[in-house]
Amino acid sequence: MSETVTGPTPGTTGGGVRVIASDAEAVEAARALVPRFAEGASGRDRDRCLPREQVRELARSGLLGITVPRALGGAGADAGTVAEILRLLGTADLSLAQIPQPHFAFLNALRLRGGGTARARVFGDVLSGSLVSNAQAERSGRTAHTHATRLERGGDGWRVNGSKYYATGSLLADWIAVVAPAATPDGPRPHIAFVPADAPGVRVEDDWAGMGQRTTASGTVHLADVAVPDDLVLPQYLTFEGPTTYGAFAQLLHAAIDVGAARGALAEAAAFVRSKSRPWFESGVDTAPEDPLLVHRFGELEIQVRAAEALLASAADRVDAADAVLAGGAPGAEDATAEASVAVAAAKVAGGRAAVEVSSALFEVAGTRAAADSENLHRHWRDARTHTVHDPVRWKVQHVGEYSLNRRRPPRHGQI
């Protein structure tokens, strides 16, 4: 059944929001949320119950505001910290972990391209617990990133018209970042309009019906002559006219979600084997955890997950290093950002493969009982398989290969 949401979720803003001052504090706050978010994750998926309370708790924790610059009251957290937080959340619930991904990605756009008024307003709301969602992909064009939505001059500012699909978090959002082309002297170029979710003309339809990620609060965002002031429209195309980590950062967060999901699926597989699985009769052992072939298979899966975790950590370091070069104006920015993008691409490939393969192997190691629908263990595979088609890893492999063999840098624009 579909529902229509016309405003922000009550309780996601206001008092009682924690102020996080450091990267270490942010990671500890996320770690504390993991057991609470894991509890009930299976039931939320089974019943498609949107994680309203969990998002409110995420807001109260202060984690939504960690990338706000220190000068504006935030922690100015680095890429590695944000990636670790999404990895941790991914171990508990992949769908819930994806909700803050566009939030952090578009706050990064605001940091890079927003003027003082936009930064003060949106960052201020985020520090009070507001959630930003995306409105980017469309169905009508040649690709998902071909935009029929238009941002045009109207009145004292801009007007935006169109429909956006797969808008992660939009059903629970306070702000919606709308990507659309707008006129420039060189023709239509991509812009981002920050639109309050309760603005007149905004309607969010709860129509996501995917086999997995049932609780990402993704809806279709309909925009009918929505007024947007000049201050809240960002010239996003300028971001890609020089070296940038914008795309690498957004992709790093997707990789982190996959890596966390792989770890979460492996942990649940182990718990199931220890408590419910029976040994194969040929093994000659009394319990499933003593089966030598099962032990060997778990060893293989553990190595795969650890490799993905290591690549993720390395990629985060490369993004942070490139950001330091960009901030300091030092030479070598093109090389540093290219290295970051390649490292993230490798992590994305490894993380996605680990998430899909481990969540599938869960049934192999846990046995027939694990396939019972009542256990809902297939949610791990459904979620991983759905998230990992967000953008094709074959193109990540292609970029890595081009860089390795031909020293061709990956494109700056990236995809989020």
Side-chain angles (χ1 to χ4, degrees):
M1 179 180 294
S2 294
E3 64 173 309
T4 296
V5 179
T6 56
T9 304
T12 55
T13 61
V17 176
R18 177 182 176 185
V19 176
I20 290 179
S22 70
D23 291 64
E25 187 180 346
V27 172
E28 286 307 308
R31 202 179 301 279
L33 290 175
V34 167
R36 297 203 290 276
F37 286 179
E39 184 178 0
S42 178
R44 290 192 299 271
D45 169 83
R46 182 185 294 111
D47 301 329
R48 197 178 177 273
C49 178
L50 298 184
R52 298 179 185 276
E53 179 53 39
Q54 288 73 27
V55 170
R56 282 192 283 264
E57 189 169 3
L58 186 65
R60 290 192 297 267
S61 75
L63 287 171
L64 294 181
I66 59 170
T67 61
V68 173
R70 288 184 178 276
L72 295 176
D78 60 26
T81 296
V82 183
E84 176 61 6
I85 286 166
L86 265 63
R87 187 195 70 81
L88 286 167
L89 297 182
T91 66
D93 184 343
L94 188 156
S95 291
L96 181 56
Q98 194 178 347
I99 291 175
Q101 189 278 335
H103 170 91
F104 288 122
F106 283 101
L107 289 184
N108 192 33
L110 180 64
R111 178 183 68 84
L112 293 170
R113 290 292 157 200
T117 300
R119 286 158 61 94
R121 183 175 176 188
V122 178
F123 282 147
D125 281 359
V126 166
L127 289 172
S128 296
S130 287
L131 175 71
V132 178
S133 77
N134 75 317
Q136 179 167 258
E138 299 191 15
R139 289 179 180 166
S140 58
R142 183 176 63 85
T143 75
H145 294 274
T146 301
H147 301 288
T149 298
R150 285 293 178 265
L151 185 62
E152 299 172 321
R153 284 287 181 183
D156 295 331
W158 299 81
R159 297 279 173 171
V160 60
N161 288 276
S163 293
K164 298 287 188 175
Y165 301 90
Y166 318 122
T168 302
S170 58
L171 291 161
L172 304 178
D174 302 284
W175 285 90
I176 300 175
V178 181
V179 178
T184 75
D186 297 319
R189 306 290 295 278
H191 287 63
I192 298 174
F194 278 83
V195 177
D198 60 352
V202 176
R203 180 170 63 89
V204 185
E205 184 180 0
D206 183 4
D207 58 354
W208 170 243
M211 68 172 184
Q213 293 199 275
R214 294 173 174 175
T215 58
T216 54
S218 299
T220 295
V221 177
H222 300 284
L223 304 148
D225 205 31
V226 178
V228 188
D230 279 329
D231 293 334
L232 294 178
V233 175
L234 283 56
Q236 177 67 352
Y237 67 95
L238 294 177
T239 299
F240 308 110
E241 293 189 349
T244 181
T245 60
Y246 181 80
F249 173 73
Q251 285 290 296
L252 178 72
L253 303 189
H254 279 302
I257 294 167
D258 290 337
V259 173
R263 174 58 68 188
L266 186 59
E268 186 144 10
F272 193 95
V273 169
R274 288 192 295 264
S275 62
K276 297 182 179 181
S277 296
R278 295 182 293 179
W280 183 242
F281 72 95
E282 292 178 282
S283 67
V285 298
D286 294 329
T287 65
E290 294 174 316
D291 183 331
L293 296 185
L294 267 183
V295 171
H296 183 82
R297 187 67 175 119
F298 268 94
E300 291 178 327
L301 297 173
E302 179 70 28
I303 290 167
Q304 184 175 14
V305 174
R306 284 177 180 250
E309 290 170 341
L311 282 171
L312 178 69
S314 175
D317 287 344
R318 293 296 181 92
V319 174
D320 284 327
D323 280 337
V325 172
L326 290 168
E334 289 281 9
D335 288 338
T337 54
E339 286 284 350
S341 292
V342 169
V344 170
K348 181 71 166 60
V349 172
R353 287 175 176 172
V356 172
E357 291 178 22
V358 172
S359 59
S360 177
L362 184 156
F363 301 98
E364 171 195 340
V365 297
T368 307
R369 292 183 180 186
D373 195 53
S374 59
E375 297 287 350
N376 199 28
L377 292 176
H378 48 70
R379 74 180 174 90
H380 292 286
W381 183 87
R382 288 187 288 101
D383 284 351
R385 185 67 281 177
T386 302
H387 183 250
T388 53
V389 297
H390 180 275
D391 55 304
V393 297
R394 62 185 178 272
W395 278 100
K396 306 300 181 191
V397 176
Q398 182 76 2
H399 292 317
V400 173
E402 287 281 16
Y403 190 72
S404 177
L405 178 61
N406 299 315
R407 308 314 293 169
R408 293 193 184 109
R409 297 185 180 115
R412 287 174 178 167
H413 58 272
Q415 296 293 338
I416 64 170

